Amino acid sequence: MLARRIIPCLDVRDGKVVKGVQFRNHEIVGDIVPLAQRYAEAGADELVFYDITASSDQRVVDKSWVSRIAQVIDIPFCVAGGIKSVEDAGRILEMGADKISINSPALNNPDLINELHDVYGQQCVVIGVDSFYNKDTNQYEVYKFTGDESRTQQTKWTTLEWIKEVQSRGAGEIVLNCMNQDGVRQGYDIQQLKAVRDICNLPLIASGGAGAIEHFIDVFQQADVDGALAASVFHKAVINMAELKQDLIDAGIATRPI
Amino acid sequence: MSTKNIVIVNTGCANISSVKFALERLDVAVTVSDDPDVIRQADKVFLPGVGTANAAMTSIANKQLIDVVRSLTQPVLGVCLGMQLMVETSKETRQDSIECLSLIPGAVERMQVGDLRLPHMGWNTVKTEKDNPLFHGIAENSYFYFVHSFSVAVGPHTLATCDYGTPFSAALHKDNFYGVQFHPERSGDAGAQLLKNFVERV
């Protein structure tokens, strides 16, 4: 049985892992490589590294750490941040990343999704979507450049329409960052994830809001997502990976044991 | 661990570094090469690959490596797409089907998974169908990391199976040619053991 994945997310800024609340006020958590290694050894199923400054200030992700991570960890990992071309993606994959995740550049140039699919295959093309629930319009809306508050912009897309679009262009996986929930540890946005699940036949990863073990159980059981991503609960040791996995197994959720 | 001459065929695909790093974690020195002489002289050969069969076959053809790989008599391990290239044909192409290396009978076809999602992405359990040194010391139903939408049906050369919608070949073996659909380089301890087995026991 295919296991549901637990995916610690490491936000990277200037070569350090950082953590903010609702995409702001970042504090340093630690160095990338030892943290990656620690999570892999603790039983994480996969890791995601987001260079949160790269898209917004026009830099390509500082890539020197990608091969250092690839050397030490024996679980898959994905790199995101400022990947704007097939060449950018190729360099990161060649250094040993298993997947690349694109967000703002896909919104600026949706053809990039098709190009990445054709050159490297669907399996390594992850699309990150920053989605905000607008209670005035009662819509889920897609934002870009969320790594830098001063440049964050609403796009023309509703979340559901954008996900249909990226799916038709050859994406291999969706990471849905529910912005209203990010960093506040009140639980995943089950309602939104269910709405996306209904129209998404790719692997879907929930992101934003994990604060307790029950939140993981809820998101797998209620929103049928393939993986759950979280940052602060792991960085701050609010949740112990071994306990989390045991509780998932006890709840009857297919889980890779440690 | 080993002084064997291990060569990774430089297929021009993207997971070469991760296979190399995984072997280096086992203290196995490896050479990445597309030089026919270097490949022929290896004790063990890895054929890695990610992406589409079409792109990988084109890359191997351009490097004039098709006959080189076909002529190898030492143990060869195809990883993921590298395994798929070992069978006769693949449907992972814009045309109807493309010819692969025909080292092992079989065909690569799009997975039929019903309501499940494709790609088949993540950790799934592997069941061995035959006793083989490749799976020495690996517990039955161990989890390995998979990422693919195409697969080879279970057949006489299936060494291990995985189930996603329907059972498919997780590992193949014929003569000196071995292939695994999963990524041992990204499959934790079980994957490391499999790589070690290939280097030491096959």
Side-chain angles (χ1 to χ4, degrees), chain B residues 176-192:
Chain B
N176 57 316
F177 294 104
Y178 292 80
V180 289
Q181 178 62 67
F182 48 82
H183 286 273
E185 75 278 15
R186 285 285 178 259
S187 293
D189 293 342

Side-chain angles (χ1 to χ4, degrees), chain A residues 67-164:
Chain A
S67 60
R68 284 189 283 132
I69 291 163
Q71 281 166 33
V72 299
I73 69 168
D74 58 7
I75 59 169
F77 72 99
C78 178
V79 172
I83 298 163
K84 295 188 201 65
S85 66
V86 168
E87 292 73 28
D88 294 342
R91 278 191 290 274
I92 289 168
L93 293 169
E94 278 154 25
M95 279 191 287
D98 300 281
K99 307 187 240 187
I100 46 97
S101 178
I102 56 171
N103 187 330
S104 305
L107 289 157
N108 292 341
N109 172 24
D111 288 341
L112 181 57
I113 302 168
N114 306 64
E115 291 167 25
L116 290 168
H117 169 276
D118 289 350
V119 177
Y120 295 108
Q122 182 190 17
Q123 82 292 332
C124 67
V125 185
V126 180
I127 303 298
V129 180
D130 291 329
S131 177
F132 188 81
Y133 174 66
N134 183 336
K135 62 179 188 302
D136 297 334
T137 60
N138 191 30
Q139 292 270 24
Y140 298 112
E141 296 165 349
V142 179
Y143 279 71
K144 62 179 177 179
F145 301 132
T146 54
D148 176 350
E149 197 188 354
S150 66
R151 300 191 60 236
T152 298
Q153 291 172 18
Q154 186 183 345
T155 68
K156 65 175 184 177
W157 294 95
T158 66
T159 303
L160 296 184
E161 289 305 314
W162 176 236
I163 285 172
K164 287 180 194 163

Side-chain angles (χ1 to χ4, degrees), chain B residues 55-194:
Chain B
M57 281 307 292
T58 304
S59 166
I60 293 173
N62 289 342
K63 290 168 179 255
Q64 317 231 312
L65 291 177
I66 290 180
D67 290 337
V68 176
V69 175
R70 280 181 176 151
S71 70
L72 296 175
T73 54
Q74 63 273 61
V76 181
L77 180 63
V79 174
C80 193
L81 179 62
M83 179 205 90
Q84 296 189 352
L85 298 180
M86 289 177 151
V87 301
E88 293 157 298
T89 56
S90 173
K91 297 249 173 163
E92 197 179 1
T93 170
R94 287 184 194 281
Q95 300 95 44
D96 178 44
S97 159
I98 62 157
E99 235 182 273
C100 298
L101 296 167
S102 292
L103 306 168
I104 303 174
V108 175
E109 302 202 351
R110 191 164 177 88
M111 297 173 80
Q112 300 300 318
V113 298
D115 292 338
L116 300 174
R117 272 82 72 171
L118 286 178
H120 172 222
M121 189 183 290
W123 297 78
N124 206 333
T125 50
V126 169
K127 184 171 172 289
T128 52
E129 301 294 332
K130 295 174 188 169
D131 222 11
N132 191 282
L134 195 61
F135 284 89
H136 170 85
I138 296 172
E140 196 64 355
N141 294 315
S142 287
Y143 279 89
F144 288 87
Y145 184 74
F146 289 84
V147 188
H148 60 123
S149 300
F150 289 74
S151 67
V152 177
V154 177
H157 299 287
T158 299
L159 198 55
T161 55
C162 176
D163 196 313
Y164 189 65
T166 48
F168 64 90
S169 295
L172 294 171
H173 171 220
K174 181 173 183 281
D175 305 326
N176 57 316
F177 294 104
Y178 292 80
V180 289
Q181 178 62 67
F182 48 82
H183 286 273
E185 75 278 15
R186 285 285 178 259
S187 293
D189 293 342
Q193 181 67 43
L194 186 133

Side-chain angles (χ1 to χ4, degrees), chain A residues 19-252:
Chain A
K19 179 60 196 165
V21 174
Q22 287 183 314
F23 292 55
R24 293 188 292 273
N25 305 322
H26 298 96
E27 58 187 68
I28 291 174
V29 178
D31 289 322
I32 302 172
V33 173
L35 266 174
Q37 199 161 14
R38 199 198 308 162
Y39 285 132
E41 284 166 4
D45 296 309
E46 189 171 320
L47 298 174
V48 176
F49 300 89
Y50 273 92
D51 189 323
I52 55 168
T53 52
S55 270
S56 45
D57 69 6
Q58 312 278 313
R59 276 187 300 155
V60 169
V61 60
D62 166 25
K63 296 181 291 292
S64 59
W65 44 271
V66 176
S67 60
R68 284 189 283 132
I69 291 163
Q71 281 166 33
V72 299
I73 69 168
D74 58 7
I75 59 169
F77 72 99
C78 178
V79 172
I83 298 163
K84 295 188 201 65
S85 66
V86 168
E87 292 73 28
D88 294 342
R91 278 191 290 274
I92 289 168
L93 293 169
E94 278 154 25
M95 279 191 287
D98 300 281
K99 307 187 240 187
I100 46 97
S101 178
I102 56 171
N103 187 330
S104 305
L107 289 157
N108 292 341
N109 172 24
D111 288 341
L112 181 57
I113 302 168
N114 306 64
E115 291 167 25
L116 290 168
H117 169 276
D118 289 350
V119 177
Y120 295 108
Q122 182 190 17
Q123 82 292 332
C124 67
V125 185
V126 180
I127 303 298
V129 180
D130 291 329
S131 177
F132 188 81
Y133 174 66
N134 183 336
K135 62 179 188 302
D136 297 334
T137 60
N138 191 30
Q139 292 270 24
Y140 298 112
E141 296 165 349
V142 179
Y143 279 71
K144 62 179 177 179
F145 301 132
T146 54
D148 176 350
E149 197 188 354
S150 66
R151 300 191 60 236
T152 298
Q153 291 172 18
Q154 186 183 345
T155 68
K156 65 175 184 177
W157 294 95
T158 66
T159 303
L160 296 184
E161 289 305 314
W162 176 236
I163 285 172
K164 287 180 194 163
E165 178 76 15
V166 305
Q167 212 161 233
S168 73
R169 287 175 176 273
E173 181 166 80
I174 307 285
V175 176
L176 189 71
N177 308 311
C178 304
M179 292 170 69
N180 311 67
Q181 299 298 104
D182 186 69
V184 297
R185 296 195 218 156
Q186 297 297 306
Y188 291 97
D189 189 339
I190 303 279
Q191 202 181 343
Q192 177 170 192
L193 287 157
K194 276 166 84 167
V196 170
R197 176 80 286 171
D198 284 345
I199 55 123
C200 176
N201 55 17
L202 298 172
L204 174 65
I205 309 301
S207 167
I213 287 177
E214 302 81 74
H215 297 153
F216 289 86
I217 295 173
D218 290 346
V219 79
F220 289 131
Q221 288 184 336
Q222 295 174 32
D224 188 24
V225 294
D226 298 280
L229 186 145
S232 62
V233 288
F234 297 126
H235 299 330
K236 296 187 175 170
V238 173
I239 291 179
N240 173 283
M241 187 70 74
E243 280 172 33
L244 169 60
K245 288 207 148 181
Q246 191 55 52
D247 286 1
L248 291 173
I249 291 167
D250 293 345

